[in-house]
Structure formats: C-alpha cells, structure tokens
Amino acid sequence: MAEASGGENTSSPSATTSTDSSDQAASGDSLKEKPTCILCLGMAGSGKTTFVQRLTAHLYAKKETPYVVNLDPAVKEVPYPANIDIRDSVNYKEVMKQYKLGPNGGIVTSLNLFATRFDQVMSFLDKKQSNEFKFAIFDTPGQIEVFTWSASGAIITEALASSFATVVVYIIDTARSTNPVTFMSNMLYACSILYKTKLPFVVVLNKTDIVDHNFAVEWMQDFEVFEEALSQDTTYMSSLTRSMSLVLDEFYQNLRTVGVSSMTGAGFEEFLKAVDNAVVEFETQYKPEYERLKKEKEEKAKKDREDQLKKVQQDLGKGEAVAMETIKTGAQAIESAHATPFHISLGADLDSDDDDERGDEEEWDEEEIKEHESFKRFLEKEKQKGQHAKKEESG
C-alpha cells in the first residue's frame, strides 16, 4: 500500500527558522499518530460480528473510516468491508482436512498459521496514520478460548500492544446475563482476560434493545442488590457466586461499562468515549510500564550475554602471548637489513653454499676411488681365472 506524504521543505541559516522547523517536525510527528486497535472478544453468540458491523457503519457515518481485520477463519460471510481477512490467507476446511482436525482444532491451527504472517499485518498498520484510519477493529473467532488462551492470540495481542494503543472490548449478551449465575460467569471471564492481557478494558453490554442493561450496572455497583437476586436460588452454585461477587468488588470499581444495541446503534457514541478514555489510560499507565518491562528484559539479556562471555573466557583460561610476525618481501628484507645497526653480509650465504658443494664433491671422489679399487680387484681375479683355464687346456 502506497502512501503519499508531503510538506514544505525550507532551509535558512537563522536560528529562528531552525526553531520553526523543529516545531514543524514535532507537529508532523503528532499528525503521524498511529491508529487505535480495538480487540473485540466475547462468548459465542454474544454478537461480536454484529457489533463490529454496527461500529464500522457508525464510523463510516461519521466520516471516520476504520481499518477492519477479520480473524475468524470459520465464518462464511462477514457483514462489513474487511481490509484484511484471514480467509484470504488460510483455508479453514483444507486445514481441517490436511491435519485431520475438528472444528475448534481447525480454528486454532488456522489462527496459528496466520500468526506466522502477522508481521505483514503490523507493517500495513504501521503505515497508516490516525488522520487516515483512527481505529483498527479486530473481529475474533466465535469461540473465545481459541483466541484468549492460545499462543497465536497472545502473539497477536502483544504484537499490537507493543506498537499501537490497544483496547480490549469484552462483549456480553445482556439478555442471557439476567441470570445472576450467568452474569457472574461472564464477569469472571472478563476479569481473567483483563489480568491476562494487562490492557485497558471496556465491557460492552450488547443487545440492550431486548433487555435494558441497567440491572447489570446496578449489580456491579451494589452488592446487596446482587445478593437479593441470588437469594431466590438456594443451590451450591449460588453460594459460590455470592462469594465470587465479593472478590470481584474491586474489579467492578474501575471497570468501564457501556450498554449498546448492535441492531439499533444505540450507545455507540458512549462506547467511543469510553475507548478514548481507555487510550489515555494506555498512554499514561500501560505504555510506560511496557517500556519499563522492555528495558528490564533488554538489560537482563545483555547481562546474560556478558556472563556467558566471561564464563567462556574463564573456561578457556589465560593463554600465552604469541608474537605476530609478518613475512617480508625481498625488497622489504633488504631495506630492513640496511636499516639495522648490525652488519649482515649477504654474500656469506652464497659462499657457504659453494663450500657445501665442494664438500659434496670431495665425498663423492672418495666413494669413486673405493669403487674403482674394488672393480680393479675383480678384474684381476677374472684375469687369473682365465689364465688358469688356458693352462689346463694346453696341458
């Protein structure tokens, strides 16, 4: 994706102009703010895809084009225009067939395969500016555990949070949460996701066109009202739910809760305000903490490398010093010979070679004399044998 960039380029030797240019650069950096990432999570049937569709339509109506990413490989159709769709990269049915998996296993494997290419998604988002795309919306798979408790879900969430302001949106089916036990199950799951992701959190009570969400807000704000609703149920689950509600009292205090209707579009302005507040929280609390943890991790990795290097040096011990000498060429040797204060005779080596050759000749002459004498004795013996044979023949 190509992006156009422009701006005035002026230069002047004066200090005032350089100050103005630095101010322009600072303002340019502020214009290049990256989009806010919204991760939509929720139980199956809570209305995540419908919520994303209504949020996308609402932003289009406000002339704020969103950047939408579909992470559900098993969905047949999406009711919104997706900029990036996992189905274009991974064939869900082929994954099930090739790896012999069931529906949930196929979704997990498809998401894992897509996570291996998520750096490309990051590069696309990194090129976008907030004046072009203010929000990047991510629609996750219907099975919430596939994304929240899988390695690929953690990789995607941490990758986004490392580069962009990221907000987790947990969508609850309000109509089904009228039961206190079901409501508490949703809240426990929301609490677990909050502490796992460690990111700004917004709870969306969806389907308010069916049931108003004020009862849930009242349950979170007043324990006695929630206990009164539980009093009608005398089972063991109700007593456990009552104990859990006391534990989650602190969790409720700082929780952002918004009621919306994905069918009518009610409550989406309040939702966007809650997201803006969550972005401020991300910049002021989560990002500094992330930078601190990142710095600590880098320092620990650097210290570990230094410790390993010291350990290797200790294992090898202290070696002996080795003189490093270079081989000189003939011309360099002659120059160094003339430069040295000691007198070196270059003809001595030649004379010594001649002496060696003379010594070899003398040794060779002695051997020849010995061979000559032995050969002479052999000839005399043969001569005597011949004379003796002739005498016997004549006699």
Side-chain angles (χ1 to χ4, degrees):
M1 298 181 181
E3 283 198 357
S5 61
E8 295 181 0
N9 185 10
T10 59
S11 60
S12 174
S14 63
T16 305
T17 307
S18 62
T19 305
D20 294 337
S21 62
S22 62
D23 293 338
Q24 289 176 1
S27 62
D29 292 338
S30 64
L31 290 175
K32 292 182 179 179
E33 294 178 356
K34 299 177 181 178
T36 300
C37 296
I38 300 176
L39 283 173
C40 297
L41 307 176
M43 296 287 187
S46 60
K48 294 186 296 297
T49 301
T50 310
F51 172 82
V52 172
Q53 184 272 333
R54 176 59 64 178
L55 178 59
T56 303
H58 184 78
L59 291 173
Y60 270 108
K62 293 180 61 178
K63 307 298 181 182
E64 297 179 0
T65 305
Y67 197 86
V68 188
V69 180
N70 174 40
L71 296 178
D72 190 353
V75 67
K76 291 186 177 180
E77 294 181 1
V78 288
Y80 49 79
N83 298 84
I84 298 177
D85 198 330
I86 187 175
R87 298 175 300 169
D88 297 334
S89 303
V90 183
N91 190 326
Y92 165 68
K93 291 186 177 180
E94 278 297 322
V95 169
M96 290 178 58
K97 182 179 179 181
Q98 183 174 351
Y99 294 98
K100 298 179 180 179
L101 300 171
N104 290 340
I107 294 174
V108 172
T109 306
S110 299
L111 203 59
N112 291 340
L113 293 173
F114 185 75
T116 61
R117 299 290 185 88
F118 198 73
D119 59 321
Q120 298 180 15
V121 179
M122 294 288 293
S123 65
F124 291 147
L125 287 174
D126 196 47
K127 296 176 183 178
K128 305 303 175 186
Q129 301 178 8
S130 61
N131 56 359
E132 183 181 359
F133 294 102
K134 185 177 179 181
F135 297 105
I137 306 171
F138 291 79
D139 187 12
T140 58
Q143 289 75 6
I144 186 173
E145 67 278 0
V146 169
F147 187 84
T148 55
W149 302 109
S150 65
S152 54
I155 291 171
I156 292 173
T157 304
E158 292 175 5
L160 291 173
S162 64
S163 301
F164 308 94
T166 306
V167 179
V168 177
V169 176
Y170 185 72
I171 302 170
I172 296 177
D173 187 347
T174 309
R176 293 184 180 180
S177 297
T178 52
N179 185 341
V181 176
T182 306
F183 173 79
M184 181 54 57
S185 299
N186 270 304
M187 290 296 104
L188 286 173
Y189 216 111
C191 183
S192 65
I193 294 173
L194 171 64
Y195 284 102
K196 185 178 186 300
T197 59
K198 299 178 182 178
L199 291 172
F201 205 78
V202 178
V203 173
V204 172
L205 297 168
N206 196 14
K207 304 182 183 180
T208 56
D209 55 307
I210 301 175
V211 177
D212 190 77
H213 69 288
N214 289 328
F215 77 92
V217 176
E218 192 176 4
W219 283 354
M220 287 186 283
Q221 293 177 352
D222 193 344
F223 170 73
E224 293 181 357
V225 176
F226 182 72
E227 188 177 11
E228 183 180 352
L230 277 173
S231 61
Q232 301 176 4
D233 191 351
T234 58
T235 61
Y236 171 76
M237 183 62 70
S238 64
S239 62
L240 177 63
T241 303
R242 187 178 293 105
S243 301
M244 288 293 120
S245 63
L246 290 173
V247 174
L248 293 179
D249 185 56
E250 185 177 355
F251 169 69
Y252 293 148
Q253 291 180 0
N254 300 318
L255 188 64
R256 298 181 186 86
T257 306
V258 181
V260 302
S261 172
S262 298
M263 292 298 295
T264 63
F268 275 88
E269 278 299 324
E270 289 77 9
F271 169 74
L272 292 177
K273 291 178 182 178
V275 170
D276 291 338
N277 294 332
V279 171
V280 174
E281 182 182 352
F282 178 88
E283 296 292 340
T284 56
Q285 298 182 19
Y286 287 83
K287 190 174 181 180
E289 180 67 13
Y290 171 78
E291 294 294 339
R292 185 185 66 81
L293 294 174
K294 182 181 178 182
K295 186 177 180 181
E296 289 181 357
K297 185 177 180 181
E298 291 176 352
E299 291 177 353
K300 184 177 181 300
K302 183 179 179 181
K303 187 177 181 299
D304 292 341
R305 289 195 299 268
E306 292 176 353
D307 293 340
Q308 290 178 0
L309 183 59
K310 290 179 181 178
K311 185 177 180 181
V312 171
Q313 291 176 349
Q314 291 176 357
D315 293 341
L316 294 176
K318 187 177 181 181
E320 297 179 356
V322 179
M324 303 298 291
E325 297 180 357
T326 57
I327 300 174
K328 296 181 179 181
T329 61
Q332 292 175 346
I334 294 172
E335 291 178 1
S336 62
H338 288 293
T340 182
F342 300 99
H343 176 70
I344 298 177
S345 175
L346 297 177
D349 294 337
L350 298 176
D351 294 340
S352 63
D353 290 342
D354 293 341
D355 293 340
D356 293 339
E357 290 178 0
R358 291 193 194 99
D360 293 340
E361 290 177 357
E362 291 176 358
E363 292 177 359
W364 181 252
D365 290 343
E366 290 178 359
E367 291 179 358
E368 285 183 347
I369 291 172
K370 291 179 181 180
E371 290 178 358
H372 180 69
E373 290 178 353
S374 62
F375 184 68
K376 189 176 180 181
R377 288 193 296 269
F378 173 75
L379 291 177
E380 288 180 355
K381 288 181 181 180
E382 292 295 327
K383 186 177 180 181
Q384 289 177 2
K385 287 181 181 179
Q387 291 177 357
H388 183 69
K390 286 180 181 180
K391 287 180 182 180
E392 288 180 354
E393 288 178 0
S394 62

